[in-house]
Amino acid sequence: MTIKELPFRATTQQACDWLAQHTDTPWSLARLLENGLIPFVWLDYDANTPELFGDANGGYAAPIFFADDTARLAAGSDDVLITITKDAYKIVTTLKAPGVRRELHELRFLKKDVERLASNLARQAEAVTETVIVAAATESTAGISKVQVLAAFSSLVKIDLLQALDSAGGIFGDEGARVKASAKKSKHKVVWNPVTLALGLNEMYRVPTSHLKRAFKSHDFLDDWAMEWEQTLTLLGK
């Protein structure tokens, strides 16, 4: 199926077909989610939950972003189950148990999100092609601060990340993600390499790659590291 232009809200099949045309690789719902795309479903106004709709008395498009909900979809569920979403005012809210169910064909992906993904993938492919892998890598003195590490990654792990950073053990110390040169300075100037840190969180704490990808896309202070992160994943085959 050839799609010249995506609709504002594309179906799963339309998004997959369009991306397949622009990347020359097959796409599926699971791969869309793995790459951080957020699906939406339309919720018609329900008088039983007026707080969810506010002034949107005709209904609104509700995002599906909660890890358990998207993992269920990625695993091949027969329908959509939403337990946590955002209300019409974009405030995160937990739905009354057992949540809201919809048919799979009701999923929609925003045109701008799908196009942005294709653009990012094209840039990454170009960068990987031009990248020369050197035998000896020099240590970078650049990194992100403790506050930034917590902002980007603390919600993804069950451990006390602040304590782990302060104790500087494992991937949080000089032999891991902490930049050794920074550790020689004031403790307030210590920084961590976010790419090394993310890889460690994936390997040691089983943080899904999709969640880490979303973290790199969600924080401006990680913009300078986003390409290195994607290149590293490509080289590792993830």
Side-chain angles (χ1 to χ4, degrees):
M1 180 178 180
T2 301
I3 301 178
K4 293 183 178 180
E5 185 175 352
L6 284 168
F8 176 70
R9 293 192 180 97
T11 65
T12 301
Q13 192 61 53
Q14 287 172 330
C16 288
D17 289 343
W18 190 89
L19 283 169
Q21 292 171 202
H22 288 76
T23 63
D24 292 325
T25 57
W27 284 79
S28 63
L29 174 57
R31 190 179 177 192
L32 295 177
L33 298 173
E34 174 70 19
N35 278 270
L37 287 188
I38 297 177
F40 292 76
V41 293
W42 183 265
L43 298 182
D44 288 321
Y45 182 82
D46 185 347
N48 293 318
T49 55
E51 69 281 356
L52 192 62
F53 298 88
D55 294 331
N57 53 20
Y60 76 102
I64 306 170
F65 58 87
F66 181 52
D68 290 351
D69 297 343
T70 56
R72 183 175 180 274
L73 286 173
S77 61
D78 294 329
D79 63 358
V80 179
L81 175 62
I82 316 170
T83 58
I84 294 178
T85 187
K86 292 183 180 180
D87 63 19
Y89 298 113
K90 302 186 184 303
I91 298 174
V92 176
T93 182
T94 300
L95 301 177
K96 296 179 181 178
V100 173
R101 290 186 181 274
R102 288 293 185 270
E103 298 296 324
L104 282 177
H105 67 80
E106 296 182 66
L107 288 174
R108 295 293 184 272
F109 292 87
L110 295 182
K111 174 183 178 180
K112 64 176 183 178
D113 292 344
V114 178
E115 291 179 337
R116 184 186 300 115
L117 173 59
S119 177
N120 289 341
L121 291 174
R123 288 198 299 270
Q124 293 160 20
E126 182 179 352
V128 169
T129 300
E130 297 175 352
T131 298
V132 176
I133 303 176
V134 295
T138 57
E139 182 186 49
S140 171
T141 57
I144 60 175
S145 68
K146 181 189 298 184
V147 171
Q148 292 171 327
V149 171
L150 295 174
F153 303 111
S154 63
S155 64
L156 305 182
V157 293
K158 296 180 180 180
I159 64 170
D160 186 334
L161 188 53
L162 176 58
Q163 183 180 19
L165 294 174
D166 287 339
S167 63
I171 62 171
F172 308 105
D174 289 344
E175 300 305 317
R178 191 171 73 175
V179 178
K180 191 172 183 178
S182 72
K184 297 177 181 178
K185 304 175 183 179
S186 165
K187 66 178 182 178
H188 299 296
K189 295 182 179 181
V190 174
V191 295
W192 286 261
N193 183 302
V195 174
T196 304
L197 182 59
L199 292 173
L201 293 177
N202 172 251
E203 182 177 351
M204 297 180 63
Y205 297 97
R206 298 296 184 266
V207 177
T209 304
S210 58
H211 295 184
L212 294 165
K213 285 183 177 181
R214 189 167 298 173
F216 274 87
K217 294 177 181 177
S218 302
H219 301 280
D220 293 342
F221 56 82
L222 291 177
D223 286 350
D224 292 339
W225 301 90
M227 183 169 292
E228 180 182 343
W229 164 246
E230 294 295 345
Q231 289 175 2
T232 301
L233 290 183
T234 300
L235 292 171
L236 293 176
K238 294 187 176 184

